[in-house]
Amino acid sequence: MLEALRGLTLRGRALLAAGLTCVVASLLLGLPVLVRFGAVAAALPVITVVLVGRTRYRLGLTRRVSPEIVPAGTPATVSLTVTNDARLSTSVLLLEDQVSYVLGPRPRFTVTGAGRAWRREVSYQVRSDVRGRHVVGPMTVRVCDPLGLVRLGRTFTSTAPLVVTPRVRPLAPHPVGGASAGSGNQRPRSFTSGSAEDVTVRDYRRGDDLRRVHWPSSARTGELMVRREEQPWQQRATVLVDNRAGVHAGRGAASSLEVAVTTAASVAVHLAQRGFAVRLVTARGEEDGIAWHDHVAGTDTRALLEALAVLPTESGSRMATGWLTQPGHDGLVVAVLGALPGEDTGLLRRVRAAAGAGLAVVLDVGTFGPVPPEAATGPEAASLLTAQGWTATTQQAGEPVEQVWDRLAAPGARSARATSAPTAGTTTGTTTGGPA
């Protein structure tokens, strides 16, 4: 009842105050006829409070977001199913779903006369131009009487996640190389020759030919084992994203950091679809769960995109180097960098020396905003990387990723090594380096 009293609307409070004023004024003025009108006006909100406060609502809500992972700028559909399991019909219900401001305005619905076993399905769309992990919900229900005198609020606890990944641009299938767990090509290795001890086996999977069952291993382990007659050799690629705040400029979706994340996502998905085992490395080191041994080449890019969707901005001034001591960084390395401070040249030299091939995209931070102090950017930074053996190019604000990739990975761009640094006053968008 106390909650219902606190839920009196402005109309209900005004009617209650007017009724009490009328009663007091009629008694002071000696007009008993007005007492009836005042009593009726004051009693109406009180009766409404009692009825609404004693009403028990049994509302149910089921929420579904489809799809749960969408690229930035692509809408997702939120489907709601609202049910009423109470025996009595409800009055007016005002439904409002809580969503992040980047997903658009909060959707509102009005429901009248929800009777017993009532069920209603509604849907709306959300859309975000900013990557990130968002929560849709919870829903707030406001119960209002037909006269609008009392309004009570209830909140559901159910929510649903929505992951907005960076936009992925289709890139041209230029041949890029790098070391692999073998020769660097997706070639099968035969195991049909050799003794029984040389046979590589794996667990039996449904659908395997029974003629491939390796009985000695099955007897030793107690489970069916089959021969692996071929083993694919997989190319490896490391995508390095410099996400430090001090090397980027601009704000929002148009900042150099967001452009770098979009470029890295497009390159990572492109390489994974071409059969590379891709891992993601940021300024703080290798991202957990994004090592290439966790991926099925050409199919699994969801973990990569989810990691890039929530990639934070690092406040540190130095990039982590611990991942260089781990095995497997000798394949293809694609670095997406902002401005280039002087202390980063040693790290990037080590990365290039250990990599089988090195491609670098340097954001021309000066086209996004003020350039960080004491840092090389644009063609100057690309020239420094070229001197270290990288194949480097720059990316300016508003430049499509497809054009940058064509300059960086096209056979003509990688085959020609720059013979001299750019002359003073010359602004060139591409600087080629060592062979990839």
Side-chain angles (χ1 to χ4, degrees):
M1 295 298 298
L2 293 177
E3 184 182 2
L5 283 174
R6 289 192 295 266
L8 278 172
T9 63
L10 180 60
R11 182 184 302 176
R13 296 174 187 271
L15 186 59
L16 178 61
L20 294 177
T21 303
C22 185
V23 171
V24 173
S26 62
L27 294 177
L28 294 178
L29 297 177
L31 299 175
V33 179
L34 296 180
V35 175
R36 301 176 183 177
F37 296 99
V40 172
L44 187 59
V46 176
I47 296 174
T48 305
V49 166
V50 174
L51 293 178
V52 173
R54 295 178 61 88
T55 303
R56 296 293 180 265
Y57 297 98
R58 299 181 60 186
L59 300 176
L61 173 66
T62 302
R63 185 195 316 274
R64 185 179 68 257
V65 179
S66 177
E68 295 182 354
I69 301 179
V70 295
T74 302
T77 302
V78 181
S79 302
L80 303 174
T81 302
V82 185
T83 58
N84 180 27
D85 298 330
R87 296 182 179 181
L88 301 177
S89 299
T90 64
S91 54
V92 180
L93 301 179
L94 305 178
L95 308 180
E96 182 182 62
D97 213 5
Q98 308 293 321
V99 298
S100 176
Y101 71 95
V102 298
L103 298 178
R106 294 180 177 179
R108 296 179 175 87
F109 310 95
T110 302
V111 177
T112 58
R116 185 179 181 182
W118 175 87
R119 178 186 179 94
R120 179 70 58 84
E121 295 182 359
V122 295
S123 63
Y124 63 92
Q125 287 189 339
V126 292
R127 178 180 177 272
S128 174
D129 293 326
V130 181
R131 62 182 176 88
R133 180 180 287 113
H134 308 283
V135 177
V136 180
M139 173 171 283
T140 301
V141 181
R142 292 182 174 86
V143 182
C144 186
D145 65 286
L147 298 178
L149 304 179
V150 179
R151 181 177 296 176
L152 298 180
R154 298 288 188 270
T155 302
F156 288 97
T157 59
S158 62
T159 58
L162 175 64
V163 178
V164 181
T165 64
R167 291 183 175 91
V168 176
R169 304 298 187 185
L171 304 180
H174 298 302
V176 291
S180 65
S183 66
N185 295 323
Q186 195 77 4
R187 295 197 307 242
R189 185 199 304 178
S190 176
F191 288 93
T192 55
S193 61
S195 61
E197 290 76 9
D198 297 331
V199 176
T200 301
V201 296
R202 60 170 174 80
D203 294 337
Y204 173 82
R205 299 172 185 170
R206 185 176 180 180
D208 287 337
D209 192 349
L210 292 178
R211 292 175 295 182
R212 295 177 56 192
V213 174
H214 192 253
W215 296 110
S217 299
S218 301
R220 184 171 60 256
T221 60
E223 297 180 358
L224 283 179
M225 308 293 291
V226 297
R227 294 187 299 271
R228 295 181 62 180
E229 297 180 352
E230 61 180 29
Q231 177 182 354
W233 288 9
Q234 192 174 62
Q235 292 175 302
R236 294 174 175 176
T238 299
V239 178
L240 173 61
V241 185
D242 191 354
N243 58 329
R244 294 173 297 172
V247 300
H248 289 282
R251 294 183 179 180
S255 65
S256 60
L257 175 60
E258 295 303 318
V259 174
V261 172
T262 300
T263 301
S266 302
V267 173
V269 171
H270 172 73
L271 294 177
Q273 291 175 347
R274 293 196 57 196
F276 280 80
V278 183
R279 70 170 175 177
L280 178 64
V281 176
T282 63
R284 66 179 181 182
E286 184 176 352
E287 291 295 306
D288 297 335
I290 315 299
W292 43 63
H293 51 75
D294 293 332
H295 296 278
V296 179
T299 59
D300 188 3
T301 58
R302 175 169 176 170
L304 279 169
L305 293 177
E306 286 185 350
L308 289 170
V310 297
L311 185 67
T313 302
E314 297 293 337
S315 58
S317 59
R318 292 183 176 273
M319 296 182 65
T321 59
W323 64 278
L324 284 173
T325 62
Q326 302 174 3
H329 56 273
D330 54 347
L332 172 67
V333 176
V334 181
V336 184
L337 309 172
L340 194 62
E343 58 268 19
D344 289 348
T345 55
L347 170 64
L348 295 175
R349 185 182 295 109
R350 291 174 55 191
V351 173
R352 180 61 189 93
L359 307 178
V361 178
V362 183
L363 275 297
D364 194 350
V365 181
T367 61
F368 294 87
V371 180
E374 299 180 358
T377 183
E380 180 184 358
S383 299
L384 293 175
L385 294 176
T386 299
Q388 297 180 359
W390 291 85
T391 300
T393 187
T394 60
Q395 182 176 5
Q396 298 180 352
E399 187 175 8
V401 181
E402 299 89 337
Q403 295 182 8
V404 177
W405 179 253
D406 289 341
R407 292 200 311 266
L408 183 68
R414 299 196 316 274
S415 60
R417 177 183 295 271
T419 57
S420 61
T423 59
T426 303
T427 58
T428 173
T430 307
T431 305
T432 56

